[in-house]
């Protein structure tokens, strides 16, 4: 008989704990799902990354003694690519873009009398000059493109 009372007390205590835990589960507020916005680069940002990769390859070729004779990029996209939100083609940007295009094309100009390394570094320095005024974030990355 004592065992039955002990059994009933234990069972009652267990049920009390279970009911107490169930109450806690229903009382907690439901947390809303967090929705993350994924970064979507602009057309201009994508093109800048493409130019960076192109210039990395160009630097490697020049350092290996190869002379590039053609350009695989359509640099005129700089005039039409959609800019990053909040950015626009300022007068300062417009003054740099044509100088940059000319210097980038000069790298593959096989008729030029100017040293290939100097032509390449001039193009990269034109990138830096523009980025010093327009979008300063990639400057450390661009500096790595220079041939020492």
């Amino acid at each position: 008989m004592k065992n039955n009372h002990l059994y009933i007390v234990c069972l009652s205590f267990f049920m009390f704990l279970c009911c107490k835990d169930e109450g806690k589960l229903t009382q907690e507020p439901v947390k809303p799902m967090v929705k993350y916005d994924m970064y979507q680069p602009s057309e201009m940002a994508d093109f800048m990354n493409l130019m960076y990769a192109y210039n990395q390859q160009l630097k490697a070729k020049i350092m290996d003694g190869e002379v590039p004779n053609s350009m695989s990029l359509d640099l005129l996209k700089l005039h039409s690519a959609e800019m990053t939100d909040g950015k626009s083609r300022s007068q300062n940007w417009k003054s740099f873009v044509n100088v940059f295009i000319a210097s980038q094309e000069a790298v593959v100009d096989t008729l030029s009398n100017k040293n290939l390394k100097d032509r390449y570094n001039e193009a990269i320095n034109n990138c830096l000059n523009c980025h010093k005024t327009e979008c300063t974030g990639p400057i450390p990355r661009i500096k790595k493109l220079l041939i020492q």
Side-chain angles (χ1 to χ4, degrees):
M1 187 77 159
K2 287 183 184 180
N3 286 340
N4 284 342
H5 289 315
L6 183 61
Y7 175 73
I8 291 172
V9 169
C10 288
L11 184 61
S12 298
F13 183 71
F14 178 74
M15 289 178 64
F16 173 76
L17 288 177
C18 289
C19 293
K20 186 176 179 181
D21 287 344
E22 284 180 17
K24 283 183 181 178
L25 290 177
T26 58
Q27 290 176 356
E28 288 183 24
V30 176
K31 294 180 182 177
M33 249 179 118
V34 177
K35 192 172 191 178
Y36 295 100
D37 290 328
M38 294 298 290
Y39 169 71
Q40 295 293 323
S42 68
E43 189 179 5
M44 183 62 81
D46 281 340
F47 190 69
M48 291 284 172
N49 283 323
L50 185 64
M51 284 193 313
Y52 181 82
Y54 168 77
N55 280 297
Q56 275 185 315
Q57 292 173 349
L58 201 54
K59 176 182 178 180
K61 286 180 181 180
I62 293 168
M63 292 180 73
D64 287 342
E66 293 180 44
V67 178
N69 57 8
S70 66
M71 180 176 302
S72 62
L73 290 177
D74 178 10
L75 294 176
L76 295 180
K77 284 186 179 179
L78 288 168
H79 292 290
S80 62
E82 179 188 325
M83 301 288 275
T84 302
D85 290 342
K87 300 285 184 182
S88 64
R89 287 174 175 81
S90 67
Q91 192 58 41
N92 199 28
W93 185 89
K94 290 175 185 177
S95 68
F96 278 113
V97 71
N98 290 325
V99 173
F100 168 72
I101 290 172
S103 66
Q104 189 76 61
E105 289 173 341
V107 175
V108 296
D109 181 4
T110 56
L111 300 176
S112 177
N113 292 330
K114 197 171 186 182
N115 180 305
L116 177 59
K117 176 184 163 187
D118 291 342
R119 286 182 281 157
Y120 171 81
N121 278 340
E122 185 176 319
I124 301 306
N125 280 319
N126 281 324
C127 290
L128 289 168
N129 290 337
C130 183
H131 277 277
K132 286 177 184 174
T133 63
E134 294 300 313
C135 178
T136 58
I139 288 176
R141 186 176 179 211
I142 296 169
K143 284 182 177 181
K144 293 176 185 177
L145 291 172
L146 291 167
I147 297 174
Q148 303 303 320

